[in-house]
Amino acid sequence: MVAGSLRRPGLPPPRSPELLPSDPSLDAYRQAFELVDLARYTVNSLVVAALIVPSSVLVASWAGFAMSRLPARHARALVATSLVALMVPLTALLVPRFAIFRTLGLTDSYWPLVAPALLGFSPFYVLLYYWSFRRLPGELFEAARLEGLSPLRTWWRVAMPLVRPVTTAVALLVFVYSWGNFLDPLIYLFDERLFTLPLGLRSLAQLDRQNFPLLLAASVVATLPVIVAFLYLQRFFLQEGARRRWTRGAA
Amino acid sequence: MAGVAWTGVHKRYAEIEALRGVDLEAGDGELLVVLGPSGSGKTTLLRVMAGLEPVSAGAISIGGRDVTHLPPARRNVAMVFQSYALFPHLNAAENVGFGLRAREVPKRERRERVAEAARVVGCSDLLGRYPAELSGGERQRVALARALVRDPDLFLLDEPLSNLDAQLRAQMRAELKELHRRVGTTMVYVTHDQVEALTLGDRLAVLDAGLLQQVGTPDELFRRPANRFVARFVGSPAMNLLNARVDADGLVAGPLRLPVPPEAARGRPLEVGIRPEGVHLADDGAPAYVRLVEPAGSEAYVHLELGDEEVVARVAADERPPPGATVRVTVSPRDIHLFDAESGVRLEWSP
């Protein structure tokens, strides 16, 4: 993808594979930014992700924590409900969702994109948190209660620090989803100034279907943040993996 | 500092009744040990005192103050859990200071109190380490320091020594007793280990199936068990219990004959209890067959078949008979306990 993006725009694809184009150039990048407002789309995508990721983590972990503290009977009922909710195909929700947001007058804004995050994004993440919290020894939470911590502070001071790898994973998954989400922005966003990167790429492809260096350059721009995010967060996975023994050792 | 009391405490879970009307109190500064087998309700007794579980009926008081409906944090009790429940993501100092931080004690005072608590339990040099880097005994100390630092009215300890190896357990037992003497705070200590209970407690409460069986000093429990359960549960090896009857000639239990007046039995079917140290091997007496000998250092436990019953005798190691031998056994009437065979209640009598 990178190699292709460095070719001069307008040239046909090479006949044989090449590691680097013989005459590399950044023209494709310049053109991509000129033809469509790639910079604005990138910022838009980042804004959307910045809204979605923290609120998903917050709400999913709250819900999971609450579930893990409920009596087993109630928690089981909620798990069953979550699983049922997970089985509803998202495509089945497209039309009713659109109808709801249009009635509320929230189309052509980021609300429809952010709204799922305010509900924990997906029952899957709630369940992920629920299972992680449930695996922690209950005595830790009882000790916190005896020390006078409110449930909210127990969540923040005791529960969350002990499931950091889960938080990393949830944040990354939600980020990747939000970053690559094409369908929802396509449905809800009409104003070009609000477009996110996937929509931008799409309009670029529609402008010049044959200009591969151009499309590849834009794709590189769109992919880079995800790779950077992964490389950055990967350290946490490894570190937490090595430190996991504390949970087992001390509990 | 304060005494504590459970009054008519019931605790029902969905299907089981963990506590069935417990009346118990511990005086100011007392070390009360609650002893019972697993499932007896002893941990529930602690948890309702701490406020981690509501009672189904009855009342809880600390220092004369009714705390039945107060949340745990407002009861000013500290609990040491069986697993210690140290926070794995915090080092020892942060663990000890956790409650102070939650109560927004200023940093400087917090540091001083943490250092002081650590000094008292002897874990000052461990404060920078994380729970995973501590041994069982060290975690125990940190957990004790965390309980101590808040200066609670009451300490609750839930089998705090059960995760330690035997040697460390004996050492920590002694240290706990010493700690209690120094800080003078009321302590309620729950255990299933009768050796721990007998050595540690000022007073013992024996609990079984949610009912208090007997409360008394270790001596009282050992010398005058109130019923069959206490008799079997306190003392190691356990007391021998034999079916017996009393007729005009005295007490008859298999081949054993003891001079016990008939009125001791009050006309009821009996069980006679004899501690292993009360069973003596002698030149004459009831014949018994040696089935098994368990050496235990300076002494040995001899399993005997006495008629249809099995009896354990505790003898000096160099006096133990070989397995398979036939020996003769005598029992002094002073060493026997009589229990009603049906209710299991102790029947008092004097030789």
Side-chain angles (χ1 to χ4, degrees), chain B:
Chain B
M1 269 183 272
V4 297
W6 292 260
T7 314
V9 170
H10 283 263
K11 176 66 193 175
R12 264 180 302 276
Y13 293 101
E15 272 144 37
I16 45 165
E17 203 160 359
L19 297 175
R20 301 190 288 174
V22 174
D23 291 292
L24 180 62
E25 50 180 78
D28 192 356
E30 188 182 5
L31 173 50
L32 174 73
V33 174
V34 179
L35 177 66
S38 48
S40 59
K42 56 190 190 310
T43 296
T44 308
L45 202 63
L46 274 200
R47 295 174 58 87
V48 297
M49 177 56 80
L52 294 171
E53 310 260 4
V55 296
S56 306
I60 307 275
S61 71
I62 299 174
R65 181 173 67 123
D66 183 355
V67 298
T68 315
H69 302 290
L70 284 188
R74 290 185 45 205
R75 299 190 182 195
N76 200 19
V77 300
M79 188 155 170
V80 175
F81 293 88
Q82 188 172 359
S83 66
Y84 317 135
L86 296 178
F87 302 110
H89 57 295
L90 302 177
N91 69 24
E94 291 163 336
N95 261 291
V96 175
F98 189 88
L100 299 180
R101 201 174 150 194
R103 286 172 166 75
E104 282 157 15
V105 173
K107 195 168 180 180
R108 192 192 171 125
E109 185 190 342
R110 205 161 74 211
R111 206 166 36 217
E112 282 165 9
R113 284 171 68 177
V114 167
E116 171 64 13
R119 196 186 55 73
V120 172
V121 300
C123 68
S124 302
D125 47 339
L126 306 173
L127 286 177
R129 294 210 231 150
Y130 284 87
E133 300 163 339
L134 299 174
S135 71
E138 290 168 341
R139 280 179 206 167
Q140 168 81 76
R141 280 174 213 270
V142 174
L144 280 172
R146 184 172 71 180
L148 205 63
V149 77
R150 280 205 281 116
D151 194 17
D153 289 334
L154 171 66
F155 271 112
L156 301 172
L157 299 105
D158 186 7
E159 310 219 11
L161 303 183
S162 60
N163 286 348
L164 304 179
D165 61 58
Q167 201 183 349
L168 197 56
R169 198 180 308 174
Q171 184 198 335
M172 287 305 292
R173 200 164 64 208
E175 284 189 24
L176 263 176
K177 190 155 188 163
E178 166 68 16
L179 181 71
H180 171 254
R181 203 183 52 73
R182 256 183 303 159
V183 300
T185 307
T186 315
M187 275 191 191
V188 180
Y189 184 107
V190 157
T191 179
H192 65 267
D193 181 339
Q194 46 100 13
V195 178
E196 216 166 280
L198 290 172
T199 50
L200 210 50
D202 301 335
R203 273 197 319 147
L204 262 60
V206 181
L207 201 65
D208 182 47
L211 285 172
L212 217 47
Q213 305 292 319
Q214 188 174 4
V215 183
T217 63
D219 273 351
E220 282 167 5
L221 260 67
F222 193 76
R223 298 217 177 112
R224 298 185 55 236
N227 58 37
R228 203 161 42 193
F229 177 82
V230 178
R232 287 286 294 179
F233 199 69
V234 177
S236 172
M239 183 188 281
N240 299 296
L241 283 175
L242 311 174
N243 286 313
R245 63 192 158 80
V246 177
D247 58 24
D249 301 331
L251 180 135
V252 183
L256 269 182
R257 296 278 182 284
L258 289 168
V260 171
E263 55 273 19
R266 285 156 222 162
R268 284 181 246 186
L270 283 186
E271 280 184 26
V272 60
I274 312 159
R275 295 222 177 261
E277 46 273 31
V279 179
H280 304 284
L281 305 187
D283 296 332
D284 61 342
Y289 170 75
V290 179
R291 214 169 50 76
L292 178 75
V293 177
E294 289 179 295
S298 61
E299 53 189 29
Y301 308 133
V302 183
H303 295 247
L304 300 163
E305 274 173 26
L306 186 70
D308 302 333
E309 315 252 18
E310 187 179 318
V311 168
V312 178
R314 181 187 210 151
V315 301
D318 49 1
E319 288 167 16
R320 65 179 192 255
T326 302
V327 294
R328 286 184 177 275
V329 189
T330 61
V331 173
S332 156
R334 280 182 301 118
D335 292 337
I336 67 170
H337 307 261
L338 295 182
F339 301 101
D340 185 312
E342 275 164 30
S343 66
V345 172
R346 176 184 186 86
L347 299 173
E348 290 294 349
W349 73 290
S350 43

Side-chain angles (χ1 to χ4, degrees), chain A residues 2-8 11 14 18-25:
Chain A
V2 175
S5 73
L6 293 176
R7 288 173 58 78
R8 286 203 179 282
L11 288 183
E18 50 175 25
L19 203 56
L20 259 186
S22 44
D23 179 19
S25 112

Side-chain angles (χ1 to χ4, degrees), chain A residues 137 139-149 153 156-159 161-162 164 243 245-251, chain B residues 47 50-52 72-73 77 79 81-89 98-99 101-104 131-132 139 146 150:
Chain A
E139 292 187 340
L140 290 181
F141 299 113
E142 291 179 344
R145 236 177 110 196
L146 284 174
E147 301 289 1
L149 255 68
R153 289 174 76 194
W156 177 245
R157 301 262 323 268
V158 179
L162 293 175
R164 251 181 261 154
R243 275 155 83 182
R245 60 194 161 83
W246 12 265
T247 355
R248 250 179 294 138
Chain B
R47 295 174 58 87
L52 294 171
V77 300
M79 188 155 170
F81 293 88
Q82 188 172 359
S83 66
Y84 317 135
L86 296 178
F87 302 110
H89 57 295
F98 189 88
R101 201 174 150 194
R103 286 172 166 75
E104 282 157 15
R139 280 179 206 167
R146 184 172 71 180
R150 280 205 281 116

